[in-house]
Amino acid sequence: MASENTLTLTELSESKKKHRSKQLMLFLFTLPLLLFVFLSFLAPITTMLYRSVYHPTVAQLVPNTLEAMASWDESTGAMPPDEVIQVFTLELHELAQERRSGKLAEEINRSLPGSSSLIKSTARKIKRMPIEELRLEGTDILLDKHKKWRSPDVWVAIKVSGNKWTERYYLTALDLKKSLQGDIEARDTKIYIKLYWKSLKIALYITVLTAIIAFPLSYYLSTASPSKANKLLVFVLLPFWTSLLVRTTSWIALLQTNGVVNSTLKAIGIIDEPLDLLYTEFSTIISMTHILLPFMILPLYSVMKNIDPSYYRAALSLGSKPMPAFFKIYFPMTLPGLSAGALLVFIISIGYYITPALVGGTDGQMISNIIAFHMQSSNNWELAAALGSLLLVLILALYWLYDRWVGVNNIKLG
């Protein structure tokens, strides 16, 4: 009896070892995929979230000034001590020598508009002054360069901009700002909220148009013979074999002033003057609908192909008319494919960049184009990260709503 128990324990131990070795083997097989997901997805998103709230530029440019300002209470409305002004004068002189004063001016100007010219002009004036003179009379020299240096607001802006951790960029992305007194206010120019709404509107138009076009086509493909369906699917998949840039520039050739569309309409006498079709919201919608149409067709077709046609025929045989039977019996069974395609098209279109940049112009640009502008032209990566983070939150919220809606409908259909 004891030998049997010992044998059983030995077998159990060996079984556990085999199970652990299998798990380890599976983990090693999936490790390259996990590393790829981390490096290409999680790491960039984490970096983006980090940069949207961490901005140490001013703290790196004038560290001694900020350290001297730590004991200054700006809420009193008084000027900072002379020691602070003296330290700042020396650091501004050093930045001017290194040609980095413009960066400081740019950063302070974001907290106090108009201070950029003040810092740049002062830096130019003290750049060639002897350092010994600045060490002795730096405070008086700086205050005499411009009357704005005697305003506490400039020094408050320097201290506020020196905070390494800031919510300023999220406020800007929501068309808000924080005053020097710490109050949150609406910005005079509202740009980003309008762009978010515009992007949502364009993405919704594209989703609706692709659904209207894809639904009858997917239905025809699912009811056609296998040979015919396979041939037609080749044309559906053909855009994937063509460069996105080629497909986008083809729409430029079609919609431009002397393009195919305007030339044809003029030739048949419908219009006398060319229509403004290119570089508009319309051109963005129509070109992106064409590009994203396969992403709606494929989910719908895969669902429709597995729907038993006998349900629809049974409804007809029981006396139902074709249209009511279609909408009450067939259409609800296509909702998983329709919702999946709609989610896919909507999420892709709201973050699209190349097509709106090429054919949209000013009217057809979306939030993704502004994010790219801040990364490539204005070099305001922190604001671009904040805008991208808000877009990520918006997409995750939409996915959460989709998951709840599809889950509830699947339960009802089940």
Side-chain angles (χ1 to χ4, degrees):
M1 190 72 177
S3 61
E4 290 181 1
N5 290 336
T6 303
L7 183 61
T8 304
L9 291 173
T10 303
E11 291 176 350
L12 183 61
S13 177
E14 291 179 356
S15 177
K16 288 182 178 180
K17 287 181 180 179
K18 290 180 179 179
H19 181 68
R20 283 196 297 268
S21 63
K22 286 183 179 179
Q23 286 184 326
L24 180 61
M25 187 64 68
L26 290 173
F27 174 75
L28 292 176
F29 276 122
T30 57
L31 184 59
L33 177 61
L34 294 175
L35 290 174
F36 175 78
V37 170
F38 176 78
L39 294 175
S40 64
F41 185 72
L42 294 179
I45 289 178
T46 304
T47 305
M48 178 182 67
L49 294 173
Y50 178 72
R51 293 200 65 163
S52 65
V53 294
Y54 183 69
H55 186 61
T57 304
V58 177
Q60 293 171 353
L61 291 172
V62 287
N64 297 330
T65 301
L66 295 173
E67 184 179 354
M69 276 185 170
S71 59
W72 172 52
D73 185 7
E74 67 273 16
S75 62
T76 61
M79 287 284 291
D82 291 346
E83 294 79 9
V84 173
I85 302 175
Q86 173 72 23
V87 172
F88 177 76
T89 305
L90 295 174
E91 288 193 311
L92 183 61
H93 177 267
E94 184 181 352
L95 291 175
Q97 295 287 337
E98 298 173 355
R99 297 184 178 181
R100 293 194 296 160
S101 57
K103 184 61 179 176
L104 177 66
E106 178 186 337
E107 294 295 332
I108 306 302
N109 193 69
R110 290 173 183 170
S111 297
L112 183 64
S115 57
S116 176
S117 58
L118 171 66
I119 296 175
K120 288 180 180 178
S121 62
T122 305
R124 286 194 299 268
K125 292 176 182 177
I126 68 173
K127 180 179 180 180
R128 300 187 182 279
M129 294 184 68
I131 188 66
E132 293 79 10
E133 184 180 355
L134 292 175
R135 285 173 180 168
L136 293 174
E137 303 177 4
T139 301
D140 295 333
I141 291 173
L142 185 73
L143 296 178
D144 291 340
K145 292 301 179 185
H146 202 286
K147 62 180 181 179
K148 286 185 178 181
W149 287 116
R150 300 182 183 274
S151 171
D153 289 346
V154 176
W155 302 100
V156 173
I158 294 174
K159 186 173 183 179
V160 170
S161 301
N163 294 326
K164 293 183 179 180
W165 300 96
T166 177
E167 75 282 5
R168 181 176 63 194
Y169 298 103
Y170 281 103
L171 293 176
T172 303
L174 295 172
D175 288 329
L176 300 172
K177 65 179 181 179
K178 202 171 191 178
S179 66
L180 296 177
Q181 291 74 30
D183 301 324
I184 296 177
E185 305 169 346
R187 297 177 67 88
D188 297 330
T189 56
K190 300 184 182 298
I191 302 173
Y192 302 111
I193 294 296
K194 289 182 180 179
L195 271 173
Y196 275 114
W197 282 115
K198 184 179 181 180
S199 301
L200 287 171
K201 180 183 70 173
I202 291 176
L204 182 62
Y205 287 160
I206 294 168
T207 304
V208 172
L209 282 175
T210 53
I212 292 173
I213 298 171
F215 197 93
L217 178 58
S218 301
Y219 178 75
Y220 179 77
L221 288 172
S222 64
T223 55
S225 62
S227 60
K228 184 182 291 186
N230 290 334
K231 292 177 182 177
L232 293 176
L233 274 175
V234 172
F235 291 99
V236 174
L237 298 173
L238 188 61
F240 291 116
W241 305 334
T242 309
S243 170
L244 175 63
L245 190 61
V246 172
R247 284 179 280 163
T248 303
T249 51
S250 66
W251 279 104
I252 296 177
L254 288 170
L255 300 176
Q256 62 184 341
T257 304
N258 296 318
V260 176
V261 175
N262 277 316
S263 300
T264 304
L265 293 177
K266 285 182 68 177
I268 60 180
I270 295 180
I271 60 173
D272 296 325
E273 297 293 332
L275 300 174
D276 293 328
L277 300 177
L278 192 60
Y279 306 128
T280 61
E281 187 175 310
F282 167 78
S283 61
T284 298
I285 293 172
I286 196 70
S287 57
M288 288 181 63
T289 299
H290 164 251
I291 291 170
L292 298 178
L293 187 58
F295 293 98
M296 180 68 77
I297 294 175
L298 295 176
L300 270 173
Y301 171 72
S302 64
V303 171
M304 289 179 175
K305 190 68 177 176
N306 294 319
I307 295 177
D308 192 346
S310 61
Y311 294 129
Y312 180 67
R313 290 196 296 266
L316 295 177
S317 65
L318 293 173
S320 177
K321 294 183 179 179
M323 291 304 292
F326 180 85
F327 284 105
K328 290 183 179 179
I329 304 299
Y330 187 84
F331 181 76
M333 289 188 287
T334 66
L335 287 180
L338 183 62
S339 59
L343 180 71
L344 191 60
V345 170
F346 189 89
I347 289 178
I348 294 176
S349 59
I350 201 174
Y352 230 65
Y353 162 67
I354 296 177
T355 303
L358 292 177
V359 305
T362 304
D363 293 336
Q365 287 197 353
M366 302 171 71
I367 192 65
S368 56
N369 301 108
I370 301 301
I371 294 173
F373 167 78
H374 285 302
M375 294 184 69
Q376 298 173 356
S377 300
S378 69
N379 290 324
N380 194 347
W381 282 50
E382 290 77 14
L383 180 55
L387 291 168
S389 299
L390 290 177
L391 185 62
L392 175 64
V393 170
L394 177 62
I395 290 174
L396 290 176
L398 291 172
Y399 181 77
W400 178 77
L401 292 173
Y402 161 80
D403 186 60
R404 286 181 61 86
W405 182 72
V406 169
V408 170
N409 280 277
N410 284 340
I411 293 173
K412 289 181 179 179
L413 290 174

